[in-house]
Amino acid sequence: MKNASLFLVLGFALAACQTYDFEPVKPLAVTQVSEEIDMEVNPLPANIMILLDKSGSMEHTVNPGFQVREGQASALPNTNCSEHNCYDNPNYSLCTSSCSTRINELRYAMREFLEESRELSPEDPRPLGNFGLTLFPMATTEDEDECAAPQNAHTTFATSDENAALRTNIDKIQSYIFDELFNTSTRTPIYGGTPTGNSLEYLLDNVFSRREEGRKNYILLLTDGLPNCNANNAQPDENQTICPNNNQCMCTMGSVCKSRGGGDEGCGNGNGCLDTRATVEVIRQLHAQNIQTFVIGFGDETSGTTGQIDAVNELNAMARAGGLVRDCDLSQPGCTAYYPAKDREELLKALRELAGKIVEDPCFFRLSANISNEELINVYVENNLVAPGPDTYQYNALSGILEVQGNLCERLQNSNNLNPVKIRISVLQPL
């Protein structure tokens, strides 16, 4: 008999922990010649697609005249870091990569968050999940369609659940965001509108078109503006009590009501019209297919009004449709369903809170061995052998996934460091 004893502690930031212990078990039958094989049993890493807004408004300054503040250090003054030099100015050389613009504050926050995501804890070296990256809009110059939705993901999900493969993706995304996304003509330009709905639809139809049983799927939406860029928006007005004229729409780029028939501030062709309804609908479709969307509103406009539109209500609707809302009393002032952030520190705090929700579901495990017979699996809870069933577990031989379910799954989800649930999973391999 070979035996293996392996302790897995699941944890990240505020996440709960469980302990899984693998020890020898008795053969299935006295007459059966068998040996116990080493088994590695891990929860499936979640798919986490970062959907990042790189529209032109991300060039706005957060703290004009200063550089990004890192850690507890005070922000350094820099007179070149002005709104004039950083926003919609071809002379990007004056606005350095450390100026306190929205995109730069995001770059520094994401660098730290992704570094933390490489390992759940010192005791558990698994990454937070399987990360991907998609940018919107696709436009990079004024010669291109500023409302173009993505046609591909910058970084697709890793095809392997091995820690090394997951870290490779994290490192690739971290390097790209920090080294490429800032105001300079030699990097990825920050330009265009906010085709949020069409970008989410791209992910639904392409990136998440194939999903696995037992694997969680998330979209991490980082945006500083209200959704627009839907020329086919059939709604003349998202709120007809404000703009009762069917030829008008709620415009995200100026005063609230603009005519579709003219060229007023980009709303004449419909691209500048508020597109919350269509965006919320595609988020609902994603949620219906077990793809949850985190919504982070980045920048001052996301916590106030934009063109007389209440951004809080619009982003709240998107967050509620996504199925993941903040842990606060939504009836209280200042509590929003989405995660608001205005600078690096607040964004990093929101990302860390989200990480606590993303830690892999403790109820799904992929078994590393090819096991065709469920009778070869022995599952112990607190040293007591349990039989498969609706309140214990079931095994799918085709997928190789063991699902803890019912009351036992609920116990795992509610466990923590002070009140762990001890599970042993052992597999017998006939000779």
Side-chain angles (χ1 to χ4, degrees):
M1 298 284 286
K2 291 192 302 182
N3 66 75
S5 181
L6 173 62
F7 292 86
L8 295 181
V9 180
L10 304 183
F12 189 94
L14 302 178
C17 298
Q18 295 77 233
T19 301
Y20 305 91
D21 180 20
F22 311 104
E23 299 177 2
V25 296
K26 296 179 180 180
L28 291 175
V30 175
T31 58
Q32 181 179 8
V33 180
S34 62
E35 67 173 349
E36 184 178 3
I37 63 173
D38 294 343
M39 282 299 303
E40 181 179 349
V41 186
N42 288 319
L44 301 180
N47 287 330
I48 308 167
M49 177 56 68
I50 301 170
L51 183 58
L52 197 157
D53 180 354
K54 67 171 192 65
S55 60
S57 56
M58 290 292 287
E59 295 176 336
H60 281 302
T61 52
V62 173
N63 194 2
F66 285 86
Q67 298 183 157
V68 178
R69 174 180 176 178
E70 291 191 78
Q72 301 301 316
S74 298
L76 296 175
N78 186 336
T79 56
N80 285 330
C81 297
S82 65
E83 180 75 356
H84 172 73
N85 288 339
C86 293
Y87 179 68
D88 198 24
N89 190 329
N91 188 8
Y92 289 127
S93 61
L94 294 176
C95 186
T96 69
S97 59
S98 62
C99 284
S100 178
T101 62
R102 290 177 187 172
I103 193 64
N104 288 338
E105 297 274 348
L106 181 146
R107 287 173 49 243
Y108 279 82
M110 288 298 295
R111 181 180 65 169
E112 194 166 348
F113 167 69
L114 290 170
E115 184 64 30
E116 294 173 355
S117 299
R118 298 180 83 254
E119 186 174 283
L120 289 178
S121 71
E123 296 79 18
D124 187 348
R126 289 174 299 125
L128 175 61
N130 190 351
F131 280 87
L133 173 65
T134 302
L135 306 168
F136 71 102
M138 285 290 291
T140 58
T141 71
E142 294 184 2
D143 297 329
E144 300 176 10
D145 181 5
E146 67 176 3
C147 281
Q151 299 176 3
N152 53 67
H154 177 272
T155 304
T156 57
F157 295 126
T159 57
S160 168
D161 288 336
E162 295 293 326
N163 291 349
L166 302 183
R167 288 196 188 97
T168 295
N169 259 27
I170 290 174
D171 293 344
K172 181 179 179 181
I173 294 169
Q174 181 190 53
S175 175
Y176 177 78
I177 290 177
F178 193 75
D179 296 335
E180 296 292 330
L181 287 179
F182 51 86
N183 308 9
T184 172
S185 58
T186 61
R187 299 293 194 270
T188 302
I190 309 304
Y191 170 77
T194 314
T196 311
N198 290 340
S199 301
L200 288 162
E201 188 171 1
Y202 164 78
L203 295 183
L204 174 63
D205 294 340
N206 298 277
V207 174
F208 287 103
S209 57
R210 297 178 63 185
R211 293 178 297 284
E212 294 181 85
E213 175 191 1
R215 189 185 301 275
K216 294 287 188 177
N217 296 281
Y218 300 104
I219 295 173
L220 177 52
L221 172 60
L222 287 153
T223 182
D224 78 327
L226 295 168
N228 53 29
C229 280
N230 182 5
N232 297 320
N233 184 351
Q235 299 295 333
D237 174 22
E238 296 278 339
N239 185 343
Q240 291 187 354
T241 60
I242 298 177
C243 302
N245 188 332
N246 287 342
N247 292 323
Q248 292 183 331
C249 72
M250 294 180 72
C251 187
T252 61
M253 308 173 71
S255 57
V256 68
C257 296
K258 288 290 182 180
S259 171
R260 282 178 174 270
D264 297 337
E265 298 180 353
C267 289
N269 58 6
N271 277 335
C273 297
L274 183 64
D275 190 39
T276 306
R277 287 185 181 178
T279 301
V280 167
E281 177 56 32
V282 71
I283 293 175
R284 286 192 181 122
Q285 292 176 30
L286 285 159
H287 192 198
Q289 298 192 36
N290 297 316
I291 306 161
Q292 295 178 292
T293 302
F294 290 108
V295 180
I296 295 183
F298 191 54
D300 290 338
E301 288 96 328
T302 62
S303 58
T305 59
T306 298
Q308 299 181 31
I309 300 171
D310 188 342
V312 173
N313 287 339
E314 308 301 325
L315 291 172
N316 273 343
M318 292 164 57
R320 290 189 180 103
L324 292 165
V325 299
R326 290 176 63 203
D327 294 326
C328 61
D329 186 351
L330 295 177
S331 67
Q332 297 300 312
C335 178
T336 56
Y338 66 97
Y339 289 77
K342 64 181 179 181
D343 57 20
R344 184 201 67 86
E345 291 175 281
E346 292 187 2
L347 178 55
L348 184 57
K349 178 182 177 182
L351 291 168
R352 286 170 173 164
E353 288 185 30
L354 296 179
K357 295 176 177 287
I358 289 175
V359 174
E360 291 89 340
D361 193 316
C363 298
F364 289 91
F365 304 91
R366 186 188 298 282
L367 305 191
S368 62
N370 183 15
I371 306 165
S372 59
N373 186 351
E374 188 181 69
E375 292 183 355
L376 297 173
I377 301 172
N378 284 325
V379 176
Y380 285 76
V381 179
E382 306 295 349
N383 295 320
N384 296 314
L385 179 65
V386 297
D391 279 322
T392 54
Y393 72 92
Q394 66 175 1
Y395 175 68
N396 186 323
L398 294 177
S399 65
I401 292 174
L402 184 145
E403 177 185 356
V404 178
Q405 54 190 10
N407 292 336
L408 182 54
C409 177
E410 186 175 347
R411 285 180 61 189
L412 287 180
Q413 292 172 331
N414 293 330
S415 64
N416 54 50
N417 285 326
L418 299 177
N419 184 32
V421 177
K422 184 178 181 181
I423 289 186
R424 296 203 320 267
I425 302 176
S426 295
V427 177
L428 301 179
Q429 183 64 48
L431 292 176

